[in-house]
Amino acid sequence: MKELTLYDIKEFKTKYNNVENKQIEKEITTKGIDNYLLNKEILKENPFVFNIDLPSYHLYDQLKSGRCWCFSSINMVEGNMIQNMDINPNDLTLSINYITFFDKLEKTNFIYNYVIENDTTIDYLSKNILNNWCGNLTEGSYYTNFANIVNKYGLVPSEIMPETVNTNNSDKLLVLWKEKITKDCLELLNLKSNITENELYSIKKQKLSQMYSFLSKVSGEPPVKFNYTYKNTQGENINLNNITPQEFKNKFLTLNLDDFIFVICNPNIEYYKKYYKEFSSHDYENPYIEGLNVPKEELKELIIKQLKKGIPVKFGCRMSISPYREIDILDTRLHDYENINITLLDYKEGLQSRAITSEHGMVFEGVHLENEKPIRWKVENSHHQYGNQFFVMNDNYFDKYVITANIHKSCLTQKQLESLTQKAIKISNYDII
């Protein structure tokens, strides 16, 4: 059969129409797919109890923005600052807006430099950068980019550069940001054959100044220096006057952000190798994010080691398959999709077909072990408008959908450390790292 005919539809209809199917249809169209298929017994098997349980600090909410990478990165390191400031954990929040402002500006600079220094076309830029989900012109990013921004520009408390209407709901901001970059790329491409490279860089600087102005008007302008007063745990006022964001970061953040290694688990490519894909970094001098590929069990072991050291773990996983906006349990047994003729892809198939991706960044803050084996994981989320600030992730969900984690190098095995010395291998922009 090549063509779908009306006779085929009639045959399908005859086969479908029985009492059981019509009852299921009535239930699902009324209650919704996940509500009908929910196995409530599984909820009871995932209590919010962990024998390794790190403290939780301020609960950040990304609202309607794509900045989970930044929120989860902050959640991984802010405990270090809280300890060093000797501040009540509820009294410190760090500005996500400040970091993502410079992420956008650095991405803009990366793209302009690429246009100037490479023999490229708007067609290539459109496919590989401007409209590529894993390219540079998105609000999403990687922990490595977070580290680059914080190392270069520092940090500020959220009171100094708070969120705005446009950063909390960033769709229009992103459309205009992308529109300007695309227009500027076209102008730079048209000018390349008529003016010198130095003149191109001069024009680029003007365009970056315009972008700075645009981002400041919609996000607020980042401070160069600021005053900040807080109470320590003894109730004493600590005054920080005329301090720069770099000084604030250097004074209170003692974790070396560059010590965290991007670790992945992709069984479709060779383990104990480093991989990279183009246009994954906003740093023009180091334009690639590198990931070390290890088996899933080793990824778990690394995460547990880091949790035992008292450091939360930023990770990436698939969330679109889960009704996480209604239920705070992540467990592959929650819904019987086989009952509606759906067999879910396994982990290897999902990565190979790009159906399973690291689409959301969150933080592990605990784990429950039995005989040193993980049973369930404590997860902090940055989507709170739906009510779920924490999840219990069953280990079966980890097996199927957790793909990446950022691990402190002190947790790596000797074999893994030796693998880091290899030259990274380039993979397709659509491969999963």
Side-chain angles (χ1 to χ4, degrees):
M1 167 184 125
K2 289 187 176 181
E3 181 185 355
L4 181 63
T5 67
L6 293 178
Y7 178 83
D8 295 321
I9 300 298
K10 184 177 180 180
E11 184 179 326
F12 298 160
K13 186 176 181 67
T14 300
K15 186 176 180 180
Y16 173 74
N17 272 270
N18 57 55
V19 173
E20 181 182 2
N21 282 342
K22 296 306 290 183
Q23 182 60 35
I24 292 174
E25 176 187 322
K26 181 179 178 182
E27 293 280 343
I28 291 180
T29 54
T30 303
K31 297 179 180 179
I33 294 172
D34 286 329
N35 285 334
Y36 174 76
L37 297 175
L38 179 63
N39 183 346
K40 293 184 179 179
E41 293 301 311
I42 298 300
L43 299 177
K44 302 175 185 177
E45 294 183 24
N46 293 279
F48 195 77
V49 176
F50 312 93
N51 46 26
I52 298 176
D53 193 353
L54 275 55
S56 300
Y57 301 114
H58 176 80
L59 300 175
Y60 294 88
D61 192 347
Q62 70 185 80
L63 295 174
K64 295 181 179 179
S65 71
R67 299 173 295 165
C68 60
W69 60 277
C70 192
F71 284 90
S72 53
S73 297
I74 282 289
N75 279 330
M76 188 170 74
V77 304
E78 72 170 350
N80 176 260
M81 292 195 70
I82 287 169
Q83 291 174 2
N84 292 327
M85 292 175 72
D86 189 27
I87 189 173
N88 186 312
N90 295 324
D91 292 343
L92 177 69
T93 58
L94 295 168
S95 174
I96 304 296
N97 187 14
Y98 179 82
I99 299 167
T100 54
F101 178 101
F102 286 111
D103 181 67
K104 292 182 181 67
L105 197 62
E106 288 285 354
K107 286 176 176 176
T108 305
N109 184 55
F110 177 98
I111 295 168
Y112 293 167
N113 281 339
Y114 187 87
V115 171
I116 292 171
E117 296 187 11
N118 292 275
D119 184 14
T120 189
T121 64
I122 193 62
D123 182 60
Y124 181 84
L125 292 172
S126 178
K127 290 177 180 177
N128 291 278
I129 299 179
L130 303 180
N131 296 300
N132 182 1
W133 70 268
C134 58
N136 238 1
L137 197 50
T138 69
E139 195 168 31
S141 202
Y142 291 86
Y143 167 82
T144 303
N145 290 335
F146 166 85
N148 290 341
I149 291 293
V150 173
N151 286 337
K152 182 175 182 179
Y153 296 100
L155 292 164
V156 302
S158 59
E159 300 98 305
I160 304 303
M161 188 171 177
E163 295 294 325
T164 71
V165 171
N166 303 304
T167 58
N168 281 332
N169 188 350
S170 58
D171 285 352
K172 192 57 177 284
L173 187 166
L174 296 176
V175 168
L176 295 175
W177 176 55
K178 180 176 177 179
E179 191 87 1
K180 174 168 174 53
I181 290 176
T182 304
K183 177 76 170 176
D184 289 348
C185 286
L186 283 166
E187 290 182 11
L188 289 170
L189 286 170
N190 289 333
L191 289 169
K192 281 183 74 171
S193 59
N194 299 318
I195 62 177
T196 67
E197 189 174 275
N198 285 339
E199 289 172 316
L200 282 171
Y201 279 116
S202 178
I203 293 170
K204 183 203 84 165
K205 188 173 181 179
Q206 294 172 18
K207 295 187 178 300
L208 281 174
S209 178
Q210 294 166 1
M211 183 63 79
Y212 179 92
S213 176
F214 161 71
L215 291 173
S216 294
K217 288 173 181 176
V218 298
S219 304
E221 185 179 16
V224 176
K225 292 186 176 182
F226 62 93
N227 298 325
Y228 181 63
T229 300
Y230 70 92
K231 286 186 183 294
N232 64 17
T233 57
Q234 284 76 48
E236 302 166 331
N237 281 338
I238 306 298
N239 299 308
L240 304 173
N241 297 318
N242 208 31
I243 192 171
T244 69
Q246 295 90 338
E247 289 168 342
F248 180 71
K249 173 257 180 186
N250 292 335
K251 184 177 180 68
F252 296 116
L253 183 64
T254 54
L255 275 177
N256 184 345
L257 299 183
D258 294 332
D259 283 344
F260 290 90
I261 308 301
F262 188 43
V263 182
I264 65 174
C265 175
N266 188 340
N268 297 301
I269 51 181
E270 190 176 352
Y271 292 132
Y272 309 111
K273 300 287 186 183
K274 284 197 307 182
Y275 297 91
Y276 77 90
K277 57 187 178 185
E278 289 186 299
F279 313 120
S280 52
S281 170
H282 58 217
D283 184 350
Y284 195 73
E285 298 301 319
N286 298 288
Y288 312 124
I289 304 294
E290 296 179 350
L292 174 65
N293 195 30
V294 303
K296 183 62 68 81
E297 288 305 311
E298 291 189 22
L299 183 62
K300 290 184 189 180
E301 291 168 1
L302 291 171
I303 292 171
I304 292 169
K305 281 184 186 179
Q306 185 159 313
L307 291 173
K308 287 182 175 180
K309 288 177 177 284
I311 305 174
V313 180
K314 180 189 182 300
F315 72 97
C317 74
R318 184 186 191 189
M319 287 291 281
S320 57
I321 196 67
S322 171
Y324 69 93
R325 297 178 180 183
E326 293 83 29
I327 297 174
D328 57 5
I329 303 293
L330 302 174
D331 190 309
T332 59
R333 303 166 299 166
L334 269 178
H335 302 95
D336 181 16
Y337 294 113
E338 298 280 351
N339 197 27
I340 53 172
N341 303 321
I342 299 296
T343 301
L344 298 179
L345 295 159
D346 65 29
Y347 184 69
K348 186 173 182 178
E349 292 170 333
L351 292 180
Q352 192 174 30
S353 61
R354 283 75 170 176
I356 295 176
T357 65
S358 186
E359 62 194 22
H360 188 41
M362 298 186 288
V363 178
F364 285 124
E365 290 187 350
V367 63
H368 189 76
L369 303 175
E370 293 182 7
N371 298 318
E372 290 301 306
K373 295 294 183 183
I375 304 301
R376 55 185 176 272
W377 304 79
K378 177 186 174 185
V379 177
E380 181 175 347
N381 186 27
S382 55
H383 273 305
H384 298 164
Q385 71 269 40
Y386 306 111
N388 292 331
Q389 298 168 345
F390 293 95
F391 296 114
V392 177
M393 178 189 290
N394 192 282
D395 196 53
N396 60 43
Y397 195 95
F398 188 117
D399 284 337
K400 190 151 190 171
Y401 295 123
V402 173
I403 304 169
T404 68
N406 290 89
I407 302 296
H408 195 275
K409 65 182 182 182
S410 65
C411 298
L412 269 59
T413 66
Q414 188 60 38
K415 182 175 182 178
Q416 293 161 356
L417 288 169
E418 290 173 358
S419 299
L420 289 176
T421 64
Q422 302 173 26
K423 185 177 179 180
I425 301 167
K426 180 180 176 180
I427 58 176
S428 163
N429 276 356
Y430 288 94
D431 281 324
I432 305 300
I433 70 165

